[in-house]
């Protein structure tokens, strides 16, 4: 041990000490975020299951007059059938719902982009700048007779 930074090798040290420390830090950070923001959202399949349950609970909680009791029974039956049809699909293919959720997000982003581009074109004047054309340039307001 000629160098001051050299230390004797400790055979008792854990070989995965760094991995263990990182895992502990990650668990602590996840717990802190869960406490601050609540539980993270589940997968798309879990969220769909929660939605179906919430709708079923809401529908079954609606009080209708006696004339509507038959309709309420029919609605409950329909909700139960839908729930029974959706549940096996969710169980067999949970990743499909994640893909559908991602595809929906991409479609929404594409729609927003198209709308923003179209709005930009609508608001540009003849010279390419924003705003409307002046009266002398053939722009301005035009009266529309609705009669």
């Amino acid at each position: 041990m000629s160098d001051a930074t050299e230390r004797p090798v400790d055979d008792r040290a854990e070989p995965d000490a760094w991995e263990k420390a990182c895992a502990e830090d990650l668990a602590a950070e996840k717990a802190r975020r869960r406490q601050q923001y609540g539980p993270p959202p589940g997968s798309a399949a879990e969220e769909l299951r929660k939605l179906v349950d919430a709708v079923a609970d809401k529908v079954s909680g609606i009080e209708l007059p006696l004339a509507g009791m038959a309709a309420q029974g029919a609605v409950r039956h329909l909700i139960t059938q839908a729930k029974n049809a959706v549940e096996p699909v969710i169980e067999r293919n949970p990743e499909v719902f994640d893909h559908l959720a991602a595809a929906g997000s991409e479609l929404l982003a594409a729609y927003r982009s198209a709308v923003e581009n179209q709005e930009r074109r609508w608001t540009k004047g003849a010279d390419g700048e924003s705003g409307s054309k002046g009266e002398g340039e053939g722009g301005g307001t035009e009266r529309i007779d609705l009669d």
Side-chain angles (χ1 to χ4, degrees):
M1 288 203 295
S2 61
D3 191 22
T5 59
E6 286 186 26
R7 293 190 180 111
V9 176
D10 185 6
D11 292 335
R12 297 174 292 152
E14 290 185 46
D16 296 330
W18 180 256
E19 181 181 346
K20 184 178 177 183
C22 289
E24 289 171 356
D25 288 347
L26 181 61
E29 179 64 17
K30 284 182 178 179
R32 184 190 68 79
R33 287 180 181 231
R34 207 173 8 259
Q35 182 180 10
Q36 184 175 0
Y37 302 111
S43 69
E46 292 169 357
E47 294 299 314
L48 178 62
R49 187 176 287 125
K50 287 179 190 176
L51 175 66
V52 168
D53 289 341
V55 168
D57 290 344
K58 191 69 169 177
V59 168
S60 61
I62 296 174
E63 296 296 325
L64 296 174
L66 290 176
M69 292 301 285
Q72 186 175 6
V75 169
R76 283 185 184 153
H77 181 69
L78 181 65
I79 294 293
T80 302
Q81 282 183 327
K83 202 172 170 182
N84 290 339
V86 167
E87 197 65 35
V89 175
I90 293 173
E91 290 296 322
R92 283 189 305 248
N93 306 307
E95 67 281 349
V96 168
F97 294 97
D98 291 332
H99 292 298
L100 289 173
S105 297
E106 289 297 318
L107 285 171
L108 181 60
Y111 174 76
R112 278 190 187 137
S113 177
V115 168
E116 287 171 359
N117 288 337
Q118 186 62 37
E119 286 176 345
R120 240 181 268 119
R121 285 193 293 267
W122 285 340
T123 57
K124 285 188 180 184
D127 56 358
E129 290 188 25
S130 259
S132 61
K133 299 177 187 176
E135 285 291 330
E137 299 171 353
T141 60
E142 179 182 340
R143 181 181 162 99
I144 299 174
D145 190 8
L146 299 175
D147 291 328

